[in-house]
Amino acid sequence: MKRRDFLKILGVGGVGTGLGYFFGKASKPPAAELIPYLNPPVDVIPGVANWYPSLCTQCSAGCGIHVRVMEGRAKKIEGNPLHPINKGKLCARGQASLQALYNPDRIKKPLKRRGNRGKGDFEEITWEEGISILSKNLISLSEKGEADQLYLLTSQIRGSLNNLLNSFMVSYGSPNYLQYELFQNKNLLHASQVTMGVNAIPHYDIANTKYLLSFGADFSSTWVSPVSYSYAYGQMRQGEDGIRGKLVQIEPRLSLTGANADEWVPAKPGTEGVLALAIAYAIVEDGYYKGPDAASWKALLSGYSPKDAAVVTEVAEGRIREIAKEFGQTRPSLAIGGENLARYENGMSGLVAVNILNHLAGNIGVRGGVIPNSNGSRTIDFKNNIAALAEAASASKVKTLLVYDTNPVFTTPKAMKTEESLRNIPFIASFSSFMDETTAMADLILPAHTSLEDWGDDFADPSVGYPVATLMQPAVSPFFNTMGIGDIILSLAKGVGGKVKDKMQWNGFSDYLKDAWKENYSKDKDMLASALTFDEFWNQLLTRGGWWPDEKAKVKAVSVSPKGIEAHISKVSSRFEGDEKGFPLYLTTYAHSSHLDGRGANLPWLQEMPDPMTSVVWGNWIEVNPTTASSLGIKEGETVTVESPFGKINAHVYLYPGIRPDTVSMPIGQGHRAYGRYAKDTGSNPIEILPFKEDPETREIALNSTRVRISRTTASEKMVKIEGSTKELGRNIVQTISPEEFKRMNKEVS
Amino acid sequence: MAGFLERITERLNIYREPGWYKKFDHKWTMVIDLDKCNGCGACVLACYAENNIPVVGKEDCDKSRAFSWLRIERYVEGEYPDVKVKFIPVMCQHCGKAPCETGCPVYATYHNQDGLNVQVYNRCVGTFTCATYCPYDVRRFNWRTYKFEQPLDNQLNPDVTVREMGVMEKCTFCIQRIRVAKDKAKDEGREVQDGEIQPACVQSCPTGAMTFGDLQDPSSKVAKLAKSPRRYRLLEELNTDPSVIYLKRVMNDGAGTHEE
Amino acid sequence: MGQEHMKSEISYREVNEDVVRTMTKTGPAYYIALISSMLVFAGFWLLPWSYQIYQGQGVTGLQTPAFWGIYLANFVFWIGISHSGTLLSAILFITQTPWRRSIYRSAEAMTFFSVLTAAIFVFVHMGRPWNFYWTMPYPNQRQLWLNFQSPLMFDVLAISAYMTSSVIFLYIGSIPDLAAVRDRVTGWRKEVYTVLALGWRGTDTEWHWLNKAYTFFAVFIIPLAVSVHSIVSWDFALSKVPGLNKTIFAPYFVVGAIYSGTAGIVTLMIILRKALNIEKYITLNHFSQLGKLLVVMSLLWSYINVLEVFTGWYANTSFENEALTYRMFTPPYSYMFWIMILCNSFMPLLLIFKKARTSIFVALIVSLAINVGMWLERYLIIATSLPRKFLPYMWHDYSPSWIEISTTIGSFGFFTMLFLLFVKLWPSVSIYEVKEDIGIPMKKGHH
């Protein structure tokens, strides 16, 4: 071989080997470099799960959960069997909250607005930058003497986080800490206050009652504390004592709970309060009331005789008297007022009427009836609500707005002009994990942890007759570059400096939480009795998932006085906007069982879960009575325009026999314009076309407050249903026995 | 030759003889009380989370390819205002005389000794015979490779396989939980306790309508409930011998009592 | 062209020459037909099928609960057509019917090719077709055997048995003809046919054993054919699905198979005799006799159909009633149903009249109509039973996607391609049997 050739071969060979080596290295997947889980971290055993008790935040019920974590990833959420509210059970929304943690649309790090507001153009920044921007804004505001023009808007947060936020705002010098959620139960709370003198939602002991009169309360899916009530419902129906409780549902639209009821009373929309008072009248008149002041009650209710009420409510007089008889005579009985009743423009008065019913039947403070909760010292400033914020913003009295865990742009009617008023605010910062409609208008986004990554606690409201505190602890380390909300506020306090910094000296929210609980521990004798040291107590809290007493307090009877009630009951049934001629149908809206107020729409499991009453997935619909639809020439699945005096939207028609012919109904929760790939452009949002009407006392926004008209329009997309046919065709699929036969059967067995 | 044939027929039908399950420790049964079930759907979601069931999206749902192994069927009778709505959760009934088991040519579905109808994912070639034969329509097929959008795949349960395209699947009574409980009991040298195994749906059901356990254990809840005078099984006249027992709902549906 | 019987004026030499000519003389029309059928096969079947293997069964219109659709309908249809050969070759051989002689070879080939087409449909409808070999009993390390209780298992065994037997049947019967061709061609053809003819010399012993073998196979293949289609019908009848779970299915499908097979033969023969210029071998008499057969089959088919509907109505269960109503009175299936009745029950009755029976045009129309009707019947059985199963909540209508329709068209292309190849590579008219039919030449003619 010639020398030249030899050198050529050597050169090429060497270069080739080198290149090959580097290519090989580069093309190897990164995983090939990882240390295999033969040496796992200390707290991880591969293949064996860790379970962390925590708190579910998908609605305000405050159920306790167990999170199954394997190798540092959250795999499944179950109910906490020890927790008194949900007793180890969990609803669909709680199960789906896992997908909020690992959602592809999560905001992964702090963002700063780059383009115009609302255009969605953001750039990523670091946490130091973000906190410093916000701190500078707050400092400048304070220096200009406009500290009271800082507004903090959150969802209904209870517990230590609430206290922290309060301290922050107070020490900063702003009184403007508002809480706003669509389903805040303000009416229910105030009705309890007014009638029973207790500032907490009472515990409705559905498990032990034998006659449940529900005024539109959909407690099987969305009302107040659905898991707790569903569990109780199961006990009521087929409990240990073998006596089956009866459920009567009064509502213009058959809800999921109504579908399980023994009787459905389709009262005219807006008149259920009148119906309640008529039943109360019949109870007193026919002598079922055994308490004091019978004469004053009769006088108070004189305007609501069943005869007159029958005309107004379109429920037969005989039926009213029958219900009164059963309700008054069955011991114990229970009347509950749900969202449908609470969200008329005079919703609170309807709830007061329901409380009157309970009092007259002797249900308050009785097992199987209404058990007042004792979390007494809460006060709600009704004047300081979202409408006030919108007003102030329009008047340029809001310089900086901080938003956390709430989406007012979606959950307020267009008539309230929330979006326009937000545009008036010079600086908006959001702590949301998702780019929802409100966050899309922010100038600075500091994403907070989801509830599975964060610390916190909650004092359940309603509780179950005794105080229940739940602890939230991180089940997994933060998945993205986010911070806990408490930690953000504390960093902000440090950044703002001055008085605020002095008042809020904690290093992190977990320290704040621990200190708060140290105080609780030192003041409560039961807690002191349960553990020798605070550290032991704290560990107990973390293992158990919260604190609840073993000894349940005795139930005390509470009575309702007729004095002063009159002011709270309005004489007329609630008004609906829109004249009857132009807008012939009443519109009722309700919380979607999967999406609630819209918060679940970005979770694909919830989008794919068929709605219990219509089986529609990935979309929205309007429920129309089949006779109404045929008279308008509308077939199922067709798109209609739903028009109120305040706006119009499109929706697909679902022929629903369980609704009055003069009423149509739409679920709330779909119709997002932002909020991620799963939520975007699925259906329409009925809140948009509602009027801006509030309850006169509590200023809670009325959801059943307008009439609409529907007309056919060109179809945009298809309505997707899972169901084939809903006729049983005599195939004995769901077999039944009558209540009489059941009673007989029980007698034979026992 | 005769002996060989005998052995084969014996093997094929052995689990259909009465008393077979007594030789083993368990016959898993589920009891669903329709009077308690309120149709909320928590069980459906729990099943999705536990068993790595993919989300198929709007288009595929429209083509009736939704994946839920457990579904709540809803039947509506009557017109306004006498509307009767009935709910029934339906999942694989784990039939004792399952039509699907005889249909599968490659033995990808068979009856195991605990009374469960077991689906072997890697054996399935996708002839759809089992799905056609099933009277309850509980089988679901992987029509294409379903993507778990990142980072949602972090949530996947490592105890359950993610099925390949072309494979049939269905409710397994959370066999992964049954295995874990049986192994644990074996390690600790004891029997499986009643209530120790709860499939995801049973565990999540808020009303407590669902109960799961061993029918052969006389002290178990399901054994007691299975003796209820309200008991019936779905489509019992087809003689599939399902392992899911329903308790009749108490309701005035105007049709009188449905006698067995 | 207008002959009633094959006159004995045809000499043996003419027979030999005509048949060999069909194999050696090809015009451009043939090539155009062959290439287009190959293109149809590749473009309408192979390409979409590869797409389906890649993407999964999701590209079809199948869904819960209609897991079987057009693919299975095609499968049953093609198996049905396959009974043509058996009927003509075997049954009519045993009954010693004379007019079968000139057409049975093509009919046997039709059998084989349609069984092949049907077999491919089995793979098309599988979810994981690359694992198809698991449906065959082969020894493996895991000691896994098949589920012999499964009707699909019976299918695999029966169809492979039928395919093998019909191929052997076809081959054995062709040996003398292959020898005849061998002696009259040159070039590559001579080499090929020398091998294929297995050294046939035409001795008495050879003829004797040929007859014995042929008779054996004829007798053997008849119950095989009946069992194959019964087994295919049991794919459906062994389920519990209302509309499928009927004991009449086995005879129903066998009758339907013979029916559609015979109609297929009629169609094919009409085309063949024109294309290959062998009108004097396939005469109007043949069509007349086939027409009589079609009338008989049509009446049988109508009877069984009436039985099916009647028993369904008489049972009066919600399950049967819904399936029947869906099939008979719900558009679009109602249109298909009544067209099917027209095509299968009423139009063939035209063939009662001798004038109609001996008209090629009528024969073509009626036979095509019958095949359309039989395909609709198969499709209706599947597509109207599965969407209406036991639990009404799961009812969903089925409509095929473009891939499924394209595959159906492609299967016809495949069959045509195979048959065209057959016509050129194999004697499509049985030389020695035609000679038997003609009889010993009475005259000293054209040597």
Side-chain angles (χ1 to χ4, degrees):
Chain A
M1 178 185 290
K2 296 211 186 72
R3 191 196 308 156
R4 195 165 281 192
D5 293 331
F6 176 71
L7 287 176
K8 270 194 211 158
I9 292 173
L10 201 63
V12 168
V15 168
T17 313
L19 275 178
Y21 175 70
F22 282 116
F23 270 134
K25 262 273 160 97
S27 64
K28 234 196 262 196
E33 306 277 318
L34 288 176
I35 303 171
Y37 243 40
L38 210 49
N39 306 315
V42 173
D43 58 343
V44 172
I45 305 175
V48 175
N50 287 338
W51 291 87
Y52 292 93
S54 186
L55 168 74
C56 175
T57 53
Q58 286 293 309
C59 76
S60 55
C63 300
I65 58 175
H66 272 171
V67 186
R68 179 182 192 229
V69 177
M70 293 187 78
E71 287 120 33
R73 296 279 180 260
K75 298 294 178 188
K76 183 96 177 10
I77 299 184
E78 310 282 5
N80 182 348
L82 299 171
H83 201 274
I85 295 205
N86 59 327
K87 300 188 183 60
K89 310 294 182 184
L90 199 62
C91 72
R93 288 191 299 281
Q95 293 280 352
S97 56
L98 257 184
Q99 292 204 314
L101 169 63
Y102 293 122
N103 200 299
D105 295 313
R106 261 187 81 184
I107 299 175
K108 302 185 172 72
K109 40 167 69 138
L111 299 174
K112 188 172 88 163
R113 177 168 66 84
R114 196 163 41 183
N116 280 332
R117 185 181 269 183
K119 288 285 175 264
D121 191 11
F122 290 92
E123 62 174 347
E124 294 177 349
I125 54 175
T126 63
W127 273 103
E128 290 82 29
E129 264 185 77
I131 299 277
S132 107
I133 293 176
L134 190 52
S135 320
K136 284 205 186 77
N137 180 290
L138 292 183
I139 293 172
S140 79
L141 208 63
S142 168
E143 283 172 355
K144 280 193 258 175
E146 290 172 330
D148 61 341
Q149 303 207 357
L150 167 70
Y151 277 72
L152 171 62
L153 179 67
T154 67
S155 63
Q156 192 176 38
I157 304 179
R158 308 182 281 244
S160 305
L161 182 60
N162 184 27
N163 295 339
L164 179 73
L165 292 172
N166 213 13
S167 318
F168 177 80
M169 292 299 277
V170 162
S171 59
Y172 181 79
S174 164
N176 303 316
Y177 171 27
L178 322 171
Q179 294 189 335
Y180 173 68
E181 246 180 61
L182 190 59
F183 297 109
Q184 228 172 330
N185 300 316
K186 279 199 282 200
N187 280 341
L188 192 57
L189 200 61
H190 197 51
S192 303
Q193 228 292 320
V194 156
T195 46
M196 292 180 275
V198 180
N199 214 345
I201 302 173
H203 171 53
Y204 295 109
D205 192 6
I206 295 175
N208 297 311
T209 192
K210 297 301 166 206
Y211 188 97
L212 181 57
L213 186 63
S214 162
F215 286 84
D218 193 4
F219 59 81
S220 302
S221 62
T222 52
W223 186 63
V224 182
S225 188
V227 183
S228 171
Y229 295 145
S230 293
Y231 187 86
Y233 172 77
Q235 298 293 311
M236 177 179 99
R237 290 302 205 185
Q238 296 289 339
E240 297 293 320
D241 61 2
I243 304 174
R244 186 173 181 267
K246 180 169 176 171
L247 169 62
V248 173
Q249 188 93 354
I250 301 176
E251 53 188 2
R253 175 226 169 226
L254 193 69
S255 63
L256 179 63
T257 312
N260 292 302
D262 298 288
E263 274 180 50
W264 173 40
V265 181
K268 192 160 165 171
T271 64
E272 293 98 308
V274 172
L275 182 59
L277 293 175
I279 299 175
Y281 179 94
I283 291 179
V284 179
E285 191 187 47
D286 296 342
Y288 306 121
Y289 177 48
K290 307 277 183 268
D293 294 320
S296 359
W297 280 114
K298 200 147 178 209
L300 180 69
L301 297 166
S302 56
Y304 301 95
S305 75
K307 197 139 161 260
D308 299 329
V311 174
V312 172
T313 63
E314 294 182 9
V315 178
E317 184 188 343
R319 198 162 188 201
I320 298 180
R321 284 198 190 274
E322 211 184 296
I323 294 176
K325 180 165 172 211
E326 272 197 84
F327 183 70
Q329 285 192 324
T330 315
R331 290 275 133 262
S333 60
L334 174 61
I336 53 181
E339 281 302 310
N340 198 60
L341 179 61
R343 298 315 271 260
Y344 294 121
E345 51 149 5
N346 62 345
M348 209 209 76
S349 39
L351 293 173
V352 170
V354 170
N355 283 347
I356 293 175
L357 261 183
N358 277 322
H359 166 70
L360 292 177
N363 297 334
I364 303 191
V366 162
R367 186 170 181 267
V370 180
I371 299 177
N373 275 312
S374 52
N375 303 5
S377 54
R378 217 170 91 173
T379 48
I380 296 187
D381 183 2
F382 292 123
K383 282 195 300 309
N384 213 1
N385 72 342
I386 185 72
L389 168 61
E391 237 179 87
S394 309
S396 302
K397 291 244 175 57
V398 180
K399 289 290 183 305
T400 303
L401 174 65
L402 308 175
V403 182
Y404 173 62
D405 197 32
T406 181
N407 190 3
V409 174
F410 182 78
T411 54
T412 50
K414 275 219 161 92
M416 209 171 100
K417 296 197 177 20
T418 317
E419 201 174 334
E420 286 88 343
S421 57
L422 283 186
R423 280 189 199 281
N424 235 6
I425 303 178
F427 190 80
I428 303 180
S430 170
F431 304 121
S432 163
S433 307
F434 292 97
M435 190 67 75
D436 54 34
E437 286 87 349
T438 312
T439 310
M441 299 192 58
D443 304 302
L444 177 69
I445 304 177
L446 302 174
H449 287 337
T450 57
S451 61
L452 289 172
E453 303 159 306
D454 207 356
W455 286 99
D457 62 3
D458 180 56
F459 299 96
D461 181 20
S463 189
V464 285
Y466 50 86
V468 172
T470 319
L471 206 71
M472 182 163 93
Q473 58 175 314
V476 293
S477 5
F479 196 64
F480 293 118
N481 189 9
T482 55
M483 264 175 87
I485 178 68
D487 295 326
I488 298 179
I489 297 294
L490 288 169
S491 311
L492 197 57
K494 283 199 185 63
V496 169
K499 253 197 304 156
V500 184
K501 180 171 168 194
D502 295 333
K503 273 272 172 69
M504 318 201 72
Q505 288 283 1
W506 296 270
N507 276 331
F509 186 60
S510 53
D511 294 334
Y512 180 87
L513 192 64
K514 251 182 154 162
D515 278 351
W517 275 93
K518 245 188 221 144
E519 222 185 293
N520 290 342
Y521 170 72
S522 59
K523 292 212 184 101
D524 185 301
K525 63 172 167 45
D526 285 322
M527 291 186 196
L528 282 165
S530 71
L532 283 179
T533 63
F534 173 69
D535 281 322
E536 211 188 300
F537 176 70
W538 183 247
N539 275 338
Q540 219 183 69
L541 268 188
L542 289 179
T543 341
R544 215 172 174 200
W547 172 260
W548 39 88
D550 296 317
E551 291 273 326
K552 281 144 202 155
K554 296 248 183 313
V555 177
K556 278 188 309 228
V558 173
S559 82
V560 180
S561 155
K563 295 193 199 35
I565 290 280
E566 175 135 33
H568 297 289
I569 333 175
S570 61
K571 215 154 171 67
V572 296
S573 29
S574 37
R575 248 174 29 92
F576 281 77
E577 294 290 327
D579 64 288
E580 246 188 274
K581 261 248 158 72
F583 302 96
L585 301 165
Y586 293 103
L587 175 68
T588 61
T589 58
Y590 60 96
H592 194 296
S593 62
S594 300
H595 308 307
L596 204 66
D597 56 357
R599 64 181 71 186
N602 63 337
L603 306 179
W605 283 339
L606 290 179
Q607 287 282 6
E608 185 128 317
M609 186 172 114
D611 178 70
M613 292 308 284
T614 61
S615 81
V616 175
V617 293
W618 293 97
N620 207 352
W621 64 92
I622 181 166
E623 290 157 6
V624 183
N625 187 297
T627 21
T628 316
S630 66
S631 71
L632 291 170
I634 299 176
K635 294 205 248 313
E636 176 149 309
E638 291 186 343
T639 316
V640 292
T641 313
V642 184
E643 196 176 338
S644 80
F646 306 93
K648 58 175 152 184
I649 50 175
N650 284 351
H652 293 113
V653 168
Y654 184 88
L655 295 183
Y656 196 71
I659 194 169
R660 289 173 56 95
D662 60 4
T663 312
V664 290
S665 191
M666 278 188 80
I668 294 172
Q670 300 273 32
H672 283 275
R673 285 170 287 114
Y675 204 32
R677 70 198 70 183
Y678 300 114
K680 206 155 180 266
D681 300 327
T682 52
S684 46
N685 182 9
I687 308 179
E688 285 180 11
I689 60 171
L690 294 177
F692 175 33
K693 280 218 282 193
E694 299 170 307
D695 182 278
E697 285 195 53
T698 63
R699 305 192 70 188
E700 184 149 47
I701 295 179
L703 295 177
N704 298 334
S705 48
T706 182
R707 284 201 177 82
V708 293
R709 58 165 171 252
I710 60 178
S711 51
R712 282 174 65 191
T713 179
T714 46
S716 47
E717 278 180 5
K718 241 179 129 170
M719 177 170 84
V720 177
K721 288 191 304 184
I722 299 288
E723 69 193 12
S725 159
T726 55
K727 299 272 162 260
E728 248 189 302
L729 301 167
R731 298 185 182 192
N732 284 351
I733 298 170
V734 187
Q735 297 189 14
T736 60
I737 57 172
S738 64
E740 293 77 29
E741 168 120 14
F742 178 67
K743 259 194 221 136
R744 221 183 334 127
M745 205 182 263
N746 260 6
K747 281 209 196 75
E748 283 168 23
V749 169
S750 61
Chain B
M1 181 64 179
F4 171 68
L5 281 176
E6 242 176 62
R7 275 210 308 279
I8 291 189
T9 43
E10 196 193 306
R11 282 251 176 101
L12 285 173
N13 290 310
I14 201 164
Y15 61 85
R16 295 179 184 200
E17 288 159 26
W20 165 252
Y21 290 112
K22 297 274 185 257
K23 295 189 208 168
F24 296 95
D25 297 327
H26 308 288
K27 186 176 188 329
W28 301 116
T29 308
M30 190 179 295
V31 175
I32 301 182
D33 190 343
L34 294 178
D35 201 36
K36 281 185 173 180
C37 174
N38 61 9
C40 69
C43 50
V44 177
L45 240 305
C47 181
Y48 263 84
E50 172 79 14
N51 291 300
N52 301 340
I53 299 180
V55 165
V56 297
K58 186 171 181 180
E59 240 188 87
D60 270 3
C61 279
D62 190 28
K63 291 195 197 141
S64 180
R65 290 178 181 169
F67 241 108
S68 47
W69 289 1
L70 164 63
R71 63 180 184 267
I72 308 268
E73 298 204 338
R74 183 185 86 256
Y75 294 102
V76 181
E77 315 276 352
E79 287 184 10
Y80 174 82
D82 299 308
V83 182
K84 304 277 176 220
V85 183
K86 302 181 196 166
F87 297 103
I88 177 169
V90 178
M91 74 290 271
C92 174
Q93 308 277 298
H94 294 273
C95 306
K97 301 200 185 83
C100 59
E101 289 167 11
T102 46
C104 176
V106 290
Y107 254 144
T109 176
Y110 70 97
H111 219 77
N112 81 355
Q113 60 202 35
D114 278 352
L116 291 179
N117 181 310
V118 170
Q119 178 76 21
V120 183
Y121 302 128
N122 20 14
R123 179 70 172 165
C124 176
V125 282
T127 54
F128 302 102
T129 318
C130 55
T132 311
Y133 282 25
C134 178
Y136 307 100
D137 291 324
V138 291
R139 285 173 164 273
R140 302 282 176 261
F141 187 72
N142 285 277
W143 298 101
R144 49 187 175 85
T145 311
Y146 290 107
K147 195 166 65 139
F148 285 89
E149 196 91 44
Q150 287 210 342
L152 286 171
D153 56 350
N154 282 299
Q155 178 273 328
L156 290 174
N157 185 352
D159 291 336
V160 178
T161 35
V162 175
R163 281 73 60 187
E164 189 193 29
M165 159 182 108
V167 161
M168 201 55 96
E169 59 184 50
K170 66 171 182 67
C171 163
T172 59
F173 272 177
C174 282
I175 194 170
Q176 66 274 10
R177 296 188 179 200
I178 296 177
R179 289 262 157 83
V180 163
K182 279 171 74 176
D183 286 344
K184 192 156 169 236
K186 192 171 77 147
D187 287 342
E188 295 173 10
R190 58 170 174 85
E191 302 280 328
V192 177
Q193 315 269 26
D194 180 41
E196 198 180 335
I197 302 178
Q198 287 196 310
C201 50
V202 173
Q203 190 173 15
S204 196
C205 174
T207 54
M210 300 170 109
T211 323
F212 181 82
D214 184 2
L215 195 63
Q216 286 181 174
D217 178 3
S219 64
S220 71
K221 260 180 98 183
V222 285
K224 298 200 185 97
L225 283 172
K227 294 198 223 119
S228 161
R230 278 192 300 142
R231 63 163 279 159
Y232 79 98
R233 292 188 292 187
L234 194 57
L235 296 175
E236 196 147 17
E237 64 266 22
L238 296 177
N239 275 327
T240 47
D241 190 22
S243 306
V244 176
I245 298 176
Y246 292 94
L247 300 182
K248 292 185 195 176
R249 177 165 165 182
V250 180
M251 184 182 191
N252 255 328
D253 68 346
T257 60
H258 295 270
E259 298 294 332
E260 277 269 331
Chain C
M1 250 91 70
Q3 287 165 309
E4 293 243 336
H5 298 276
M6 281 193 291
K7 298 270 190 317
S8 40
E9 278 154 12
I10 308 174
S11 72
Y12 281 7
R13 178 179 163 171
E14 254 182 85
V15 174
N16 290 335
E17 283 178 355
D18 283 335
V19 175
V20 173
R21 176 177 43 84
T22 65
M23 290 169 65
T24 49
K25 194 149 154 236
T26 30
Y30 172 77
Y31 285 114
I32 294 174
L34 181 66
I35 302 232
S36 14
S37 68
M38 279 181 166
L39 284 177
V40 167
F41 168 54
F44 280 79
W45 197 347
L46 285 184
L47 280 180
W49 188 19
S50 336
Y51 178 61
Q52 185 189 283
I53 294 182
Y54 178 67
Q55 284 279 23
Q57 286 277 345
V59 299
T60 63
L62 303 171
Q63 21 92 321
T64 315
F67 288 98
W68 281 344
I70 268 198
Y71 288 149
L72 264 271
N74 282 338
F75 167 68
V76 180
F77 174 72
W78 284 109
I79 295 269
I81 299 232
S82 76
H83 276 48
S84 57
T86 319
L87 168 72
L88 234 61
S89 272
I91 301 180
L92 295 183
F93 173 74
I94 293 185
T95 57
Q96 294 175 339
T97 319
W99 54 267
R100 110 182 207 288
R101 294 209 166 105
S102 49
I103 50 179
Y104 81 86
R105 179 67 49 70
S106 310
E108 272 173 36
M110 230 173 97
T111 300
F112 178 53
F113 297 140
S114 47
V115 172
L116 267 185
T117 320
I120 301 194
F121 266 111
V122 170
F123 299 128
V124 175
H125 103 282
M126 281 168 86
R128 294 205 293 177
W130 49 90
N131 290 326
F132 71 94
Y133 59 92
W134 289 348
T135 57
M136 300 179 194
Y138 67 98
N140 56 71
Q141 174 202 41
R142 297 278 191 107
Q143 298 187 324
L144 286 174
W145 286 106
L146 310 163
N147 183 6
F148 290 105
Q149 289 183 324
S150 161
L152 264 79
M153 214 41 253
F154 311 158
D155 254 359
V156 169
L157 298 174
I159 291 178
S160 17
Y162 190 45
M163 211 189 304
T164 333
S165 318
S166 68
V167 144
I168 299 179
F169 191 41
L170 173 68
Y171 186 58
I172 288 188
S174 313
I175 295 180
D177 289 341
L178 291 169
V181 173
R182 169 199 61 189
D183 294 335
R184 284 169 181 75
V185 294
T186 53
W188 62 267
R189 284 205 177 86
K190 194 171 180 85
E191 286 174 31
V192 168
Y193 289 113
T194 314
V195 172
L196 285 177
L198 298 181
W200 174 268
R201 281 164 302 138
T203 62
D204 286 351
T205 334
E206 285 176 352
W207 279 111
H208 171 76
W209 283 115
L210 178 77
N211 196 36
K212 263 209 144 57
Y214 195 77
T215 316
F216 169 76
F217 263 101
V219 170
F220 172 68
I221 214 171
I222 295 173
L224 199 59
V226 170
S227 71
V228 160
H229 219 62
S230 307
I231 284 170
V232 168
S233 77
W234 289 337
D235 279 350
F236 306 114
L238 285 182
S239 73
K240 288 193 190 284
V241 178
L244 295 184
N245 188 15
K246 300 189 166 145
T247 48
I248 196 86
F249 257 40
Y252 184 29
F253 273 45
V254 175
V255 164
I258 300 180
Y259 190 26
S260 66
T262 316
I265 294 177
V266 172
T267 320
L268 213 54
M269 289 306 115
I270 294 176
I271 300 175
L272 207 67
R273 73 197 287 263
K274 194 70 194 287
L276 299 177
N277 284 327
I278 45 174
E279 286 93 340
K280 53 180 181 272
Y281 301 106
I282 305 177
T283 63
L284 288 178
N285 181 44
H286 290 95
F287 291 111
S288 175
Q289 307 295 339
L290 283 169
K292 285 189 204 157
L293 199 53
L294 281 180
V295 170
V296 169
M297 286 290 123
S298 164
L299 291 172
L300 257 181
W301 186 88
S302 309
Y303 170 67
I304 296 186
N305 242 29
V306 166
L307 257 188
E308 213 193 315
V309 174
F310 176 73
T311 48
W313 169 82
Y314 186 72
N316 202 23
T317 59
S318 163
F319 313 125
E320 282 294 330
N321 287 348
E322 286 300 321
L324 273 178
T325 320
Y326 188 56
R327 184 183 307 181
M328 289 168 67
F329 302 118
T330 316
Y333 299 109
S334 55
Y335 300 132
M336 291 190 213
F337 183 80
W338 295 108
I339 290 179
M340 170 184 91
I341 298 288
L342 177 71
C343 288
N344 286 352
S345 297
F346 291 108
M347 281 179 74
L349 295 179
L350 278 176
L351 300 174
I352 293 181
F353 306 108
K354 179 129 187 195
K355 198 119 183 269
R357 273 212 307 276
T358 47
S359 154
I360 298 289
F361 177 69
V362 172
L364 184 65
I365 299 291
V366 170
S367 64
L368 280 176
I370 292 175
N371 270 327
V372 165
M374 286 314 294
W375 189 90
L376 281 177
E377 187 227 342
R378 310 297 205 240
Y379 179 69
L380 282 174
I381 285 178
I382 299 177
T384 59
S385 310
L386 294 183
R388 291 290 181 271
K389 273 167 88 169
F390 292 94
L391 297 175
Y393 192 78
M394 294 303 292
W395 286 358
H396 274 277
D397 294 335
Y398 165 69
S399 55
S401 72
W402 67 270
I403 280 201
E404 292 171 286
I405 298 175
S406 153
T407 318
T408 313
I409 299 173
S411 71
F412 284 94
F414 180 61
F415 179 77
T416 317
M417 176 186 86
L418 286 177
F419 201 80
L420 284 171
L421 287 172
F422 163 76
V423 152
K424 284 300 158 188
L425 298 175
W426 206 269
S428 49
V429 173
S430 172
I431 300 176
Y432 68 95
E433 292 240 7
V434 162
K435 286 177 181 170
E436 275 181 51
D437 199 29
I438 296 174
I440 312 286
M442 287 301 161
K443 291 195 204 141
K444 269 196 292 189
H446 328 267
H447 45 271

